[in-house]
């Protein structure tokens, strides 16, 4: 997904930043712009699903919910769960959210490691001298 700066974006209409779903298609029925108010001009694909709204829209619409989720995720990374008990005592939605965040972080870490590997190989590539 391309990086976007919502505050300075001039393509919000094109990307469906204010789109709202007014109708959920029936099972087996294709989704389309007719199910949306102010749909994007370009279809966004996110996790194999076609969207006619910006996938980041919820971040602007529900900042408190995201703040709480990220706070709980930070605590989870340190070994603290929000509810008393073990993992099975936690909300399924919360544990699924943590799993998704774990996967996204792993992908980011992998990309950063790959970028560092490429940077290192350029620095030590053909014709370059190693520093001692």
């Amino acid at each position: 997904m391309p990086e976007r700066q919502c505050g300075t974006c001039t393509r919000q209409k094109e990307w469906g930043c204010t789109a709202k779903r007014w109708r959920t298609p029936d099972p087996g029925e294709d989704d389309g712009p007719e199910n949306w108010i102010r749909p994007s001009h370009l279809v966004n694909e996110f996790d194999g699903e076609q969207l006619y709204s910006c996938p980041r829209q919820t971040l602007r619409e529900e900042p408190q919910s995201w703040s709480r989720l990220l706070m709980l995720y930070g605590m989870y990374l340190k070994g603290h769960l929000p509810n008393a008990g073990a993992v099975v005592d936690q909300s399924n939605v919360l544990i699924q959210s943590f799993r998704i965040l774990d996967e996204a972080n792993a992908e980011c870490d992998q990309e950063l490691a790959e970028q560092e590997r490429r940077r290192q190989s350029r620095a030590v590539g053909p014709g370059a001298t190693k520093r001692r």
Side-chain angles (χ1 to χ4, degrees):
M1 180 173 22
E3 190 56 42
R4 297 178 178 168
Q5 299 295 326
C6 297
T8 58
C9 180
T10 59
R11 301 176 69 184
Q12 290 187 7
K13 185 174 183 179
E14 183 178 348
W15 284 337
C17 295
T18 60
K20 298 288 180 216
R21 180 185 289 281
W22 73 272
R23 179 183 173 275
T24 302
D26 294 327
E29 181 184 0
D30 288 336
D31 194 7
E34 66 277 0
N35 297 322
W36 295 81
I37 298 170
R38 296 182 305 279
S40 64
H41 296 174
L42 303 171
V43 177
N44 293 298
E45 189 159 321
F46 187 72
D47 280 349
E49 181 182 350
Q50 289 188 335
L51 298 175
Y52 290 87
S53 67
C54 177
R56 292 192 171 112
Q57 187 181 52
T58 183
L59 293 172
R60 289 184 307 141
E61 292 177 348
E62 302 175 34
Q64 294 87 2
S65 297
W66 280 98
S67 175
R68 181 168 171 76
L69 174 64
L70 295 174
M71 178 195 67
L72 292 172
Y73 181 66
M75 293 169 66
Y76 157 80
L77 290 176
K78 293 178 182 175
H80 304 287
L81 296 171
N83 297 318
V87 171
V88 296
D89 299 316
Q90 308 303 310
S91 157
N92 288 335
V93 171
L94 189 64
I95 295 300
Q96 272 299 87
S97 299
F98 290 166
R99 185 187 62 76
I100 291 167
L101 290 170
D102 280 341
E103 289 175 4
N105 279 331
E107 288 177 18
C108 290
D109 290 345
Q110 188 176 23
E111 178 61 28
L112 289 172
E114 181 62 26
Q115 288 176 3
E116 180 63 20
R117 187 196 63 73
R118 286 193 303 264
R119 188 184 70 73
Q120 291 288 332
S121 69
R122 281 193 305 268
V124 185
T129 57
K130 292 184 180 180
R131 293 185 184 182
R132 294 183 184 197

